[in-house]
Amino acid sequence: MNKKDAANSARAQFSLRLSDEIQKTYQLKGATALARQFNHNFPHLHITSHAARKWLVGESIPTQEKIIALAQWLEVDPWWLRYGSRETYTSGGSDSDEAILVRDVLILKAHERGILRAFLDVLLKRV
């Protein structure tokens, strides 16, 4: 599978997980209802109906900060919401050190990732 096909597949799979959870948990229909509820719960992360529609039809995936908010709202694991089954990213069904590290980095807020990046630059002598 080439990169474009993999990206399209990832967006489509995210869209299905998001749609299923929204339907199961809140019985919301449509992008406007999703945007309205999201903005009510997370006004500091405001989204438009257009952005919500793109998530629901698999045209885009939200930022990590918004995925974490969505996961909190839907009461699901952020990793699962973004990527699906953890077994897809690990061997033998148990988390590898690399998978755990990736998961931990992905749940960091943007400014925390910046701090981590600066630390890694010093540690790896890239400064």
Side-chain angles (χ1 to χ4, degrees):
M1 178 181 310
N2 64 38
K3 286 182 182 182
K4 185 176 180 180
D5 291 340
N8 288 337
S9 176
R11 286 191 301 270
Q13 290 171 16
F14 168 80
S15 172
L16 288 174
R17 287 189 296 277
L18 178 63
S19 297
D20 288 349
E21 285 301 315
I22 288 172
Q23 207 43 255
K24 181 172 70 173
T25 307
Y26 294 104
Q27 293 84 41
L28 295 178
K29 295 194 189 278
T32 301
L34 170 57
R36 189 176 298 128
Q37 285 297 316
F38 184 89
N39 292 335
H40 175 76
N41 289 295
F42 306 98
H44 63 289
L45 296 175
H46 182 82
I47 64 167
T48 64
S49 296
H50 182 69
R53 182 196 67 78
K54 290 174 80 171
W55 299 349
L56 292 171
V57 299
E59 289 181 12
S60 71
I61 294 175
T63 63
Q64 190 62 29
E65 187 175 29
K66 289 177 181 165
I67 287 175
I68 291 169
L70 283 166
Q72 177 186 349
W73 178 49
L74 297 170
E75 298 180 0
V76 298
D77 180 53
W79 174 279
W80 174 83
L81 183 59
R82 173 59 178 89
Y83 297 104
S85 171
R86 289 181 189 271
E87 284 73 30
T88 304
Y89 294 89
T90 61
S91 58
S94 63
D95 285 352
S96 66
D97 288 341
E98 292 84 6
I100 292 168
L101 180 61
V102 168
R103 181 191 67 218
D104 291 345
V105 170
L106 290 174
I107 62 173
L108 294 175
K109 294 179 180 160
H111 75 280
E112 294 168 334
R113 286 192 305 270
I115 293 167
L116 178 60
R117 170 59 53 209
F119 172 75
L120 290 172
D121 285 345
V122 169
L123 183 66
L124 299 172
K125 299 178 174 99
R126 294 189 287 205
V127 288

